[in-house]
Amino acid sequence: QVQLVESGGGLVQAGGSLSLSCAASGRTFSSGIMGWFRQAPGKERDLVALISRSTGSIYYADSVKGRFTISRDNAKNMVYLQMNTLKPEDTAVYYCAASSRTSFYTTYEWYEYWGQGTQVTVSS
């Protein structure tokens, strides 16, 4: 099993920045995909960004391109999400996700492991 723990959410004004971290522990894998999804009230869990643990390849949802940056530190089993120029529509619970698969899958059903989520609220 893989355990994921997010940290770093909070309240910020529109235009501001927040940084999220995800610590992986347990049966971590050297390859696979890690990433971030988010879920606003009454909405589905949507992809934010993905990163390959082995190649470092990255995928972003169109809604966050140019504003969010995903990165990883394999030695520390960490994944990060730097969020800049935040908008009220970015308000959601942000979840760290991991999969042993090595391809980018853009829907949440493909990810075996999840963190508990961290709230991000952007005020207008």
Side-chain angles (χ1 to χ4, degrees):
Q1 288 291 332
V2 176
Q3 291 80 44
L4 303 174
V5 178
E6 304 98 336
S7 60
L11 172 65
V12 66
Q13 288 190 331
S17 299
L18 278 176
S19 180
L20 304 182
S21 298
C22 174
S25 62
R27 192 183 65 82
T28 54
F29 30 84
S30 58
S31 57
I33 304 296
M34 292 190 70
W36 295 90
F37 286 74
R38 65 186 181 186
Q39 188 166 20
K43 295 189 176 181
E44 287 200 346
R45 191 169 296 190
D46 291 331
L47 171 67
V48 176
L50 302 171
I51 189 165
S52 167
R53 286 179 54 88
S54 57
T55 68
S57 297
I58 288 172
Y59 180 94
Y60 291 107
D62 287 343
S63 58
V64 306
K65 280 181 182 176
R67 301 188 299 123
F68 290 12
T69 302
I70 189 171
S71 61
R72 76 196 196 297
D73 184 335
N74 287 348
K76 296 180 179 179
N77 287 317
M78 296 289 294
V79 174
Y80 306 97
L81 186 69
Q82 177 63 41
M83 304 183 291
N84 298 327
T85 318
L86 282 161
K87 305 175 181 179
E89 50 263 44
D90 294 318
T91 295
V93 177
Y94 283 69
Y95 295 92
C96 180
S99 173
S100 56
R101 299 177 176 90
T102 55
S103 297
F104 285 151
Y105 292 93
T106 59
T107 55
Y108 67 88
E109 298 89 351
W110 294 96
Y111 293 81
E112 305 101 287
Y113 306 105
W114 292 91
Q116 80 286 355
T118 185
Q119 178 70 46
V120 171
T121 302
V122 184
S123 63
S124 57

